[in-house]
Amino acid sequence: MQRRRYLEAAIVLPVVLLLGVAGLMVQHARSKQLAPIIQETSISLQLVDLIPEIMDSVVHVQCPDWQGSGFVVSDHLIATARHVVDGVGDFTITFNDGSTAQADRALSSKNWDVAFIWVDQEIVAPPVKLGSIEDCKLGDPVVVIGSSYGLTNFNCVSTGIVSGLDRNWDSIDPYTGEAYGWEWGFTADASGAPGNSGCPLFDLNGVVRGILVGGYDSTHVFFMPADLFLSDIEKIEAAFEIAEEY
């Protein structure tokens, strides 16, 4: 009788162990399948909290013959793309709360597709946080907010990832075929369309890493890195003040 019990134990124990291992394997496989879903859900929840915090810093820029986007970088400065302000001396800035401000002065870089608009009245909207693209990696999630095709899609949100770093598009400018200060930049697959030019690209910490300047399609959208000016905001303000004296 005792021998029979030993035999039963010898048979049952491996089966239990085998079932336990199989259960662990199934659980591990399920956890691997769920991991991307959990991560995606986490990012989505993070975006829901982040977007209201950064939205007020993004603006629409209306020029006499075209329009673009921009973002607040100080009490009087709006950052945008150079091709938004080229040849223009009259701007209507629309803020996220619907209020507007008029502006008639802009400074642009000679070497890069980056520009700044001076607003005489103090800007109530908060300035963005600026950070280097050097701190980003390929595949990092990003958020782009801008007015694609104008006020109809005012401050429209799209998401994507950093799809390319250290890109030089100067020799293949899709609009003019000429060099236009696109020598150093990066790409993302977040939405880019007419009216988005000059809008900011945020990381998931709400830090602006670049300015949208153009692109070929939804997977090849080109950005100027914020590195070009992130330490120069006070100097740019001073340049406007000096220019006003003359």
PDB file of all heavy atoms in Angstrom, residues 167-196:
ATOM      1  N   ARG A 167      19.899  65.276 -39.411  1.00  0.00           N
ATOM      2  CA  ARG A 167      19.516  65.318 -40.819  1.00  0.00           C
ATOM      3  C   ARG A 167      19.940  66.645 -41.457  1.00  0.00           C
ATOM      4  O   ARG A 167      19.854  67.702 -40.837  1.00  0.00           O
ATOM      5  CB  ARG A 167      17.999  65.150 -40.971  1.00  0.00           C
ATOM      6  CG  ARG A 167      17.481  63.798 -40.500  1.00  0.00           C
ATOM      7  CD  ARG A 167      17.963  62.687 -41.399  1.00  0.00           C
ATOM      8  NE  ARG A 167      17.255  61.456 -41.180  1.00  0.00           N
ATOM      9  CZ  ARG A 167      17.816  60.348 -40.684  1.00  0.00           C
ATOM     10  NH1 ARG A 167      19.090  60.353 -40.366  1.00  0.00           N
ATOM     11  NH2 ARG A 167      17.104  59.261 -40.545  1.00  0.00           N
ATOM     12  N   ASN A 168      20.358  66.583 -42.707  1.00  0.00           N
ATOM     13  CA  ASN A 168      20.695  67.778 -43.487  1.00  0.00           C
ATOM     14  C   ASN A 168      19.815  67.798 -44.721  1.00  0.00           C
ATOM     15  O   ASN A 168      20.014  67.008 -45.642  1.00  0.00           O
ATOM     16  CB  ASN A 168      22.172  67.758 -43.877  1.00  0.00           C
ATOM     17  CG  ASN A 168      22.588  69.006 -44.657  1.00  0.00           C
ATOM     18  OD1 ASN A 168      21.735  69.798 -45.077  1.00  0.00           O
ATOM     19  ND2 ASN A 168      23.881  69.182 -44.849  1.00  0.00           N
ATOM     20  N   TRP A 169      18.849  68.714 -44.733  1.00  0.00           N
ATOM     21  CA  TRP A 169      17.922  68.809 -45.864  1.00  0.00           C
ATOM     22  C   TRP A 169      18.203  70.030 -46.732  1.00  0.00           C
ATOM     23  O   TRP A 169      17.410  70.347 -47.614  1.00  0.00           O
ATOM     24  CB  TRP A 169      16.478  68.883 -45.352  1.00  0.00           C
ATOM     25  CG  TRP A 169      15.868  67.558 -45.035  1.00  0.00           C
ATOM     26  CD1 TRP A 169      16.514  66.391 -44.786  1.00  0.00           C
ATOM     27  CD2 TRP A 169      14.468  67.262 -44.928  1.00  0.00           C
ATOM     28  NE1 TRP A 169      15.622  65.390 -44.507  1.00  0.00           N
ATOM     29  CE2 TRP A 169      14.355  65.897 -44.603  1.00  0.00           C
ATOM     30  CE3 TRP A 169      13.319  68.011 -45.073  1.00  0.00           C
ATOM     31  CZ2 TRP A 169      13.138  65.265 -44.423  1.00  0.00           C
ATOM     32  CZ3 TRP A 169      12.091  67.386 -44.884  1.00  0.00           C
ATOM     33  CH2 TRP A 169      11.998  66.029 -44.569  1.00  0.00           C
ATOM     34  N   ASP A 170      19.291  70.721 -46.489  1.00  0.00           N
ATOM     35  CA  ASP A 170      19.505  71.978 -47.192  1.00  0.00           C
ATOM     36  C   ASP A 170      19.589  71.807 -48.710  1.00  0.00           C
ATOM     37  O   ASP A 170      19.175  72.676 -49.465  1.00  0.00           O
ATOM     38  CB  ASP A 170      20.794  72.651 -46.695  1.00  0.00           C
ATOM     39  CG  ASP A 170      20.527  74.079 -46.240  1.00  0.00           C
ATOM     40  OD1 ASP A 170      19.357  74.504 -46.286  1.00  0.00           O
ATOM     41  OD2 ASP A 170      21.476  74.753 -45.830  1.00  0.00           O
ATOM     42  N   SER A 171      20.130  70.706 -49.163  1.00  0.00           N
ATOM     43  CA  SER A 171      20.293  70.523 -50.598  1.00  0.00           C
ATOM     44  C   SER A 171      19.026  69.991 -51.271  1.00  0.00           C
ATOM     45  O   SER A 171      18.980  69.881 -52.492  1.00  0.00           O
ATOM     46  CB  SER A 171      21.460  69.550 -50.865  1.00  0.00           C
ATOM     47  OG  SER A 171      21.184  68.290 -50.279  1.00  0.00           O
ATOM     48  N   ILE A 172      18.016  69.669 -50.463  1.00  0.00           N
ATOM     49  CA  ILE A 172      16.792  69.091 -51.043  1.00  0.00           C
ATOM     50  C   ILE A 172      15.553  69.773 -50.476  1.00  0.00           C
ATOM     51  O   ILE A 172      14.560  69.136 -50.172  1.00  0.00           O
ATOM     52  CB  ILE A 172      16.716  67.575 -50.808  1.00  0.00           C
ATOM     53  CG1 ILE A 172      16.950  67.235 -49.316  1.00  0.00           C
ATOM     54  CG2 ILE A 172      17.695  66.840 -51.678  1.00  0.00           C
ATOM     55  CD1 ILE A 172      16.717  65.759 -49.001  1.00  0.00           C
ATOM     56  N   ASP A 173      15.619  71.095 -50.288  1.00  0.00           N
ATOM     57  CA  ASP A 173      14.474  71.859 -49.821  1.00  0.00           C
ATOM     58  C   ASP A 173      13.263  71.541 -50.697  1.00  0.00           C
ATOM     59  O   ASP A 173      13.286  71.780 -51.908  1.00  0.00           O
ATOM     60  CB  ASP A 173      14.812  73.355 -49.895  1.00  0.00           C
ATOM     61  CG  ASP A 173      13.690  74.232 -49.350  1.00  0.00           C
ATOM     62  OD1 ASP A 173      12.517  73.845 -49.457  1.00  0.00           O
ATOM     63  OD2 ASP A 173      14.004  75.311 -48.830  1.00  0.00           O
ATOM     64  N   PRO A 174      12.197  70.948 -50.135  1.00  0.00           N
ATOM     65  CA  PRO A 174      11.061  70.522 -50.959  1.00  0.00           C
ATOM     66  C   PRO A 174      10.250  71.659 -51.555  1.00  0.00           C
ATOM     67  O   PRO A 174       9.431  71.439 -52.433  1.00  0.00           O
ATOM     68  CB  PRO A 174      10.213  69.708 -49.968  1.00  0.00           C
ATOM     69  CG  PRO A 174      10.562  70.265 -48.641  1.00  0.00           C
ATOM     70  CD  PRO A 174      12.013  70.646 -48.721  1.00  0.00           C
ATOM     71  N   TYR A 175      10.474  72.901 -51.100  1.00  0.00           N
ATOM     72  CA  TYR A 175       9.662  74.017 -51.576  1.00  0.00           C
ATOM     73  C   TYR A 175      10.377  74.863 -52.624  1.00  0.00           C
ATOM     74  O   TYR A 175       9.798  75.217 -53.643  1.00  0.00           O
ATOM     75  CB  TYR A 175       9.240  74.896 -50.397  1.00  0.00           C
ATOM     76  CG  TYR A 175       8.450  74.121 -49.366  1.00  0.00           C
ATOM     77  CD1 TYR A 175       8.979  73.865 -48.108  1.00  0.00           C
ATOM     78  CD2 TYR A 175       7.188  73.613 -49.664  1.00  0.00           C
ATOM     79  CE1 TYR A 175       8.263  73.125 -47.164  1.00  0.00           C
ATOM     80  CE2 TYR A 175       6.469  72.877 -48.733  1.00  0.00           C
ATOM     81  CZ  TYR A 175       7.016  72.641 -47.488  1.00  0.00           C
ATOM     82  OH  TYR A 175       6.306  71.916 -46.564  1.00  0.00           O
ATOM     83  N   THR A 176      11.638  75.188 -52.371  1.00  0.00           N
ATOM     84  CA  THR A 176      12.349  76.090 -53.275  1.00  0.00           C
ATOM     85  C   THR A 176      13.453  75.412 -54.061  1.00  0.00           C
ATOM     86  O   THR A 176      13.900  75.925 -55.069  1.00  0.00           O
ATOM     87  CB  THR A 176      12.973  77.258 -52.489  1.00  0.00           C
ATOM     88  OG1 THR A 176      14.002  76.739 -51.637  1.00  0.00           O
ATOM     89  CG2 THR A 176      11.931  77.967 -51.643  1.00  0.00           C
ATOM     90  N   GLY A 177      13.898  74.242 -53.575  1.00  0.00           N
ATOM     91  CA  GLY A 177      15.023  73.584 -54.227  1.00  0.00           C
ATOM     92  C   GLY A 177      16.342  74.252 -53.921  1.00  0.00           C
ATOM     93  O   GLY A 177      17.381  73.876 -54.466  1.00  0.00           O
ATOM     94  N   GLU A 178      16.317  75.234 -53.036  1.00  0.00           N
ATOM     95  CA  GLU A 178      17.526  75.966 -52.675  1.00  0.00           C
ATOM     96  C   GLU A 178      17.810  75.801 -51.188  1.00  0.00           C
ATOM     97  O   GLU A 178      16.945  75.427 -50.408  1.00  0.00           O
ATOM     98  CB  GLU A 178      17.354  77.458 -53.008  1.00  0.00           C
ATOM     99  CG  GLU A 178      17.070  77.742 -54.472  1.00  0.00           C
ATOM    100  CD  GLU A 178      16.779  79.220 -54.710  1.00  0.00           C
ATOM    101  OE1 GLU A 178      16.708  79.969 -53.718  1.00  0.00           O
ATOM    102  OE2 GLU A 178      16.609  79.593 -55.879  1.00  0.00           O
ATOM    103  N   ALA A 179      19.056  76.110 -50.818  1.00  0.00           N
ATOM    104  CA  ALA A 179      19.421  76.066 -49.408  1.00  0.00           C
ATOM    105  C   ALA A 179      18.623  77.117 -48.646  1.00  0.00           C
ATOM    106  O   ALA A 179      18.485  78.253 -49.082  1.00  0.00           O
ATOM    107  CB  ALA A 179      20.917  76.324 -49.254  1.00  0.00           C
ATOM    108  N   TYR A 180      18.082  76.711 -47.485  1.00  0.00           N
ATOM    109  CA  TYR A 180      17.249  77.643 -46.733  1.00  0.00           C
ATOM    110  C   TYR A 180      17.455  77.474 -45.229  1.00  0.00           C
ATOM    111  O   TYR A 180      16.545  77.647 -44.441  1.00  0.00           O
ATOM    112  CB  TYR A 180      15.781  77.443 -47.083  1.00  0.00           C
ATOM    113  CG  TYR A 180      14.904  78.607 -46.641  1.00  0.00           C
ATOM    114  CD1 TYR A 180      14.916  79.809 -47.336  1.00  0.00           C
ATOM    115  CD2 TYR A 180      14.100  78.511 -45.511  1.00  0.00           C
ATOM    116  CE1 TYR A 180      14.137  80.881 -46.923  1.00  0.00           C
ATOM    117  CE2 TYR A 180      13.318  79.574 -45.094  1.00  0.00           C
ATOM    118  CZ  TYR A 180      13.336  80.762 -45.810  1.00  0.00           C
ATOM    119  OH  TYR A 180      12.571  81.821 -45.391  1.00  0.00           O
ATOM    120  N   GLY A 181      18.650  77.123 -44.822  1.00  0.00           N
ATOM    121  CA  GLY A 181      18.894  76.981 -43.393  1.00  0.00           C
ATOM    122  C   GLY A 181      18.342  75.704 -42.802  1.00  0.00           C
ATOM    123  O   GLY A 181      17.913  75.675 -41.652  1.00  0.00           O
ATOM    124  N   TRP A 182      18.331  74.636 -43.593  1.00  0.00           N
ATOM    125  CA  TRP A 182      17.881  73.335 -43.099  1.00  0.00           C
ATOM    126  C   TRP A 182      19.062  72.372 -42.998  1.00  0.00           C
ATOM    127  O   TRP A 182      18.928  71.175 -43.191  1.00  0.00           O
ATOM    128  CB  TRP A 182      16.811  72.740 -44.017  1.00  0.00           C
ATOM    129  CG  TRP A 182      15.494  73.446 -43.983  1.00  0.00           C
ATOM    130  CD1 TRP A 182      15.215  74.646 -43.390  1.00  0.00           C
ATOM    131  CD2 TRP A 182      14.269  72.996 -44.556  1.00  0.00           C
ATOM    132  NE1 TRP A 182      13.903  74.983 -43.557  1.00  0.00           N
ATOM    133  CE2 TRP A 182      13.285  73.984 -44.278  1.00  0.00           C
ATOM    134  CE3 TRP A 182      13.899  71.876 -45.279  1.00  0.00           C
ATOM    135  CZ2 TRP A 182      11.966  73.866 -44.694  1.00  0.00           C
ATOM    136  CZ3 TRP A 182      12.585  71.752 -45.703  1.00  0.00           C
ATOM    137  CH2 TRP A 182      11.627  72.739 -45.405  1.00  0.00           C
ATOM    138  N   GLU A 183      20.217  72.921 -42.676  1.00  0.00           N
ATOM    139  CA  GLU A 183      21.436  72.113 -42.674  1.00  0.00           C
ATOM    140  C   GLU A 183      21.518  71.173 -41.475  1.00  0.00           C
ATOM    141  O   GLU A 183      22.122  70.117 -41.542  1.00  0.00           O
ATOM    142  CB  GLU A 183      22.655  73.042 -42.682  1.00  0.00           C
ATOM    143  CG  GLU A 183      23.988  72.315 -42.807  1.00  0.00           C
ATOM    144  CD  GLU A 183      25.151  73.274 -42.875  1.00  0.00           C
ATOM    145  OE1 GLU A 183      24.926  74.497 -43.053  1.00  0.00           O
ATOM    146  OE2 GLU A 183      26.296  72.817 -42.744  1.00  0.00           O
ATOM    147  N   TRP A 184      20.925  71.591 -40.359  1.00  0.00           N
ATOM    148  CA  TRP A 184      20.985  70.768 -39.146  1.00  0.00           C
ATOM    149  C   TRP A 184      19.580  70.640 -38.589  1.00  0.00           C
ATOM    150  O   TRP A 184      18.952  71.635 -38.239  1.00  0.00           O
ATOM    151  CB  TRP A 184      21.907  71.409 -38.110  1.00  0.00           C
ATOM    152  CG  TRP A 184      21.981  70.647 -36.811  1.00  0.00           C
ATOM    153  CD1 TRP A 184      21.949  69.290 -36.659  1.00  0.00           C
ATOM    154  CD2 TRP A 184      22.063  71.191 -35.496  1.00  0.00           C
ATOM    155  NE1 TRP A 184      22.026  68.952 -35.329  1.00  0.00           N
ATOM    156  CE2 TRP A 184      22.099  70.098 -34.594  1.00  0.00           C
ATOM    157  CE3 TRP A 184      22.120  72.490 -34.994  1.00  0.00           C
ATOM    158  CZ2 TRP A 184      22.183  70.270 -33.211  1.00  0.00           C
ATOM    159  CZ3 TRP A 184      22.209  72.660 -33.609  1.00  0.00           C
ATOM    160  CH2 TRP A 184      22.246  71.562 -32.742  1.00  0.00           C
ATOM    161  N   GLY A 185      19.070  69.418 -38.530  1.00  0.00           N
ATOM    162  CA  GLY A 185      17.731  69.231 -38.004  1.00  0.00           C
ATOM    163  C   GLY A 185      17.454  67.781 -37.669  1.00  0.00           C
ATOM    164  O   GLY A 185      18.355  66.937 -37.638  1.00  0.00           O
ATOM    165  N   PHE A 186      16.178  67.493 -37.435  1.00  0.00           N
ATOM    166  CA  PHE A 186      15.766  66.120 -37.157  1.00  0.00           C
ATOM    167  C   PHE A 186      14.357  65.925 -37.689  1.00  0.00           C
ATOM    168  O   PHE A 186      13.669  66.892 -38.049  1.00  0.00           O
ATOM    169  CB  PHE A 186      15.828  65.823 -35.657  1.00  0.00           C
ATOM    170  CG  PHE A 186      14.875  66.606 -34.807  1.00  0.00           C
ATOM    171  CD1 PHE A 186      13.645  66.076 -34.427  1.00  0.00           C
ATOM    172  CD2 PHE A 186      15.204  67.879 -34.361  1.00  0.00           C
ATOM    173  CE1 PHE A 186      12.764  66.799 -33.637  1.00  0.00           C
ATOM    174  CE2 PHE A 186      14.335  68.617 -33.562  1.00  0.00           C
ATOM    175  CZ  PHE A 186      13.109  68.071 -33.201  1.00  0.00           C
ATOM    176  N   THR A 187      13.927  64.692 -37.784  1.00  0.00           N
ATOM    177  CA  THR A 187      12.602  64.387 -38.311  1.00  0.00           C
ATOM    178  C   THR A 187      11.747  63.662 -37.272  1.00  0.00           C
ATOM    179  O   THR A 187      12.259  63.032 -36.347  1.00  0.00           O
ATOM    180  CB  THR A 187      12.675  63.515 -39.583  1.00  0.00           C
ATOM    181  OG1 THR A 187      13.356  62.292 -39.277  1.00  0.00           O
ATOM    182  CG2 THR A 187      13.405  64.249 -40.688  1.00  0.00           C
ATOM    183  N   ALA A 188      10.448  63.788 -37.458  1.00  0.00           N
ATOM    184  CA  ALA A 188       9.475  63.059 -36.640  1.00  0.00           C
ATOM    185  C   ALA A 188       8.297  62.701 -37.527  1.00  0.00           C
ATOM    186  O   ALA A 188       8.073  63.336 -38.564  1.00  0.00           O
ATOM    187  CB  ALA A 188       9.017  63.896 -35.453  1.00  0.00           C
ATOM    188  N   ASP A 189       7.549  61.675 -37.140  1.00  0.00           N
ATOM    189  CA  ASP A 189       6.412  61.267 -37.974  1.00  0.00           C
ATOM    190  C   ASP A 189       5.096  61.841 -37.468  1.00  0.00           C
ATOM    191  O   ASP A 189       4.025  61.401 -37.875  1.00  0.00           O
ATOM    192  CB  ASP A 189       6.331  59.742 -38.078  1.00  0.00           C
ATOM    193  CG  ASP A 189       5.985  59.063 -36.756  1.00  0.00           C
ATOM    194  OD1 ASP A 189       6.049  59.730 -35.706  1.00  0.00           O
ATOM    195  OD2 ASP A 189       5.648  57.865 -36.783  1.00  0.00           O
ATOM    196  N   ALA A 190       5.174  62.864 -36.595  1.00  0.00           N
ATOM    197  CA  ALA A 190       3.964  63.579 -36.207  1.00  0.00           C
ATOM    198  C   ALA A 190       3.497  64.438 -37.378  1.00  0.00           C
ATOM    199  O   ALA A 190       4.275  64.752 -38.282  1.00  0.00           O
ATOM    200  CB  ALA A 190       4.232  64.445 -34.980  1.00  0.00           C
ATOM    201  N   SER A 191       2.249  64.835 -37.356  1.00  0.00           N
ATOM    202  CA  SER A 191       1.639  65.486 -38.513  1.00  0.00           C
ATOM    203  C   SER A 191       2.297  66.818 -38.860  1.00  0.00           C
ATOM    204  O   SER A 191       2.626  67.617 -37.990  1.00  0.00           O
ATOM    205  CB  SER A 191       0.152  65.727 -38.237  1.00  0.00           C
ATOM    206  OG  SER A 191      -0.447  66.396 -39.328  1.00  0.00           O
ATOM    207  N   GLY A 192       2.497  67.030 -40.153  1.00  0.00           N
ATOM    208  CA  GLY A 192       2.969  68.305 -40.666  1.00  0.00           C
ATOM    209  C   GLY A 192       2.144  68.703 -41.874  1.00  0.00           C
ATOM    210  O   GLY A 192       1.937  67.896 -42.787  1.00  0.00           O
ATOM    211  N   ALA A 193       1.644  69.940 -41.889  1.00  0.00           N
ATOM    212  CA  ALA A 193       0.811  70.417 -42.992  1.00  0.00           C
ATOM    213  C   ALA A 193       0.956  71.926 -43.082  1.00  0.00           C
ATOM    214  O   ALA A 193       1.438  72.567 -42.141  1.00  0.00           O
ATOM    215  CB  ALA A 193      -0.656  70.039 -42.754  1.00  0.00           C
ATOM    216  N   PRO A 194       0.575  72.542 -44.214  1.00  0.00           N
ATOM    217  CA  PRO A 194       0.603  74.003 -44.294  1.00  0.00           C
ATOM    218  C   PRO A 194      -0.160  74.625 -43.124  1.00  0.00           C
ATOM    219  O   PRO A 194      -1.272  74.199 -42.801  1.00  0.00           O
ATOM    220  CB  PRO A 194      -0.096  74.285 -45.630  1.00  0.00           C
ATOM    221  CG  PRO A 194       0.168  73.074 -46.454  1.00  0.00           C
ATOM    222  CD  PRO A 194       0.132  71.915 -45.486  1.00  0.00           C
ATOM    223  N   GLY A 195       0.442  75.599 -42.485  1.00  0.00           N
ATOM    224  CA  GLY A 195      -0.132  76.193 -41.281  1.00  0.00           C
ATOM    225  C   GLY A 195       0.547  75.704 -40.026  1.00  0.00           C
ATOM    226  O   GLY A 195       0.517  76.360 -38.986  1.00  0.00           O
ATOM    227  N   ASN A 196       1.192  74.529 -40.106  1.00  0.00           N
ATOM    228  CA  ASN A 196       1.948  74.003 -38.972  1.00  0.00           C
ATOM    229  C   ASN A 196       3.354  74.605 -38.877  1.00  0.00           C
ATOM    230  O   ASN A 196       4.013  74.469 -37.849  1.00  0.00           O
ATOM    231  CB  ASN A 196       2.087  72.482 -39.065  1.00  0.00           C
ATOM    232  CG  ASN A 196       0.922  71.747 -38.437  1.00  0.00           C
ATOM    233  OD1 ASN A 196       0.060  71.249 -39.143  1.00  0.00           O
ATOM    234  ND2 ASN A 196       0.894  71.679 -37.127  1.00  0.00           N
TER     235      ASN A 196
END
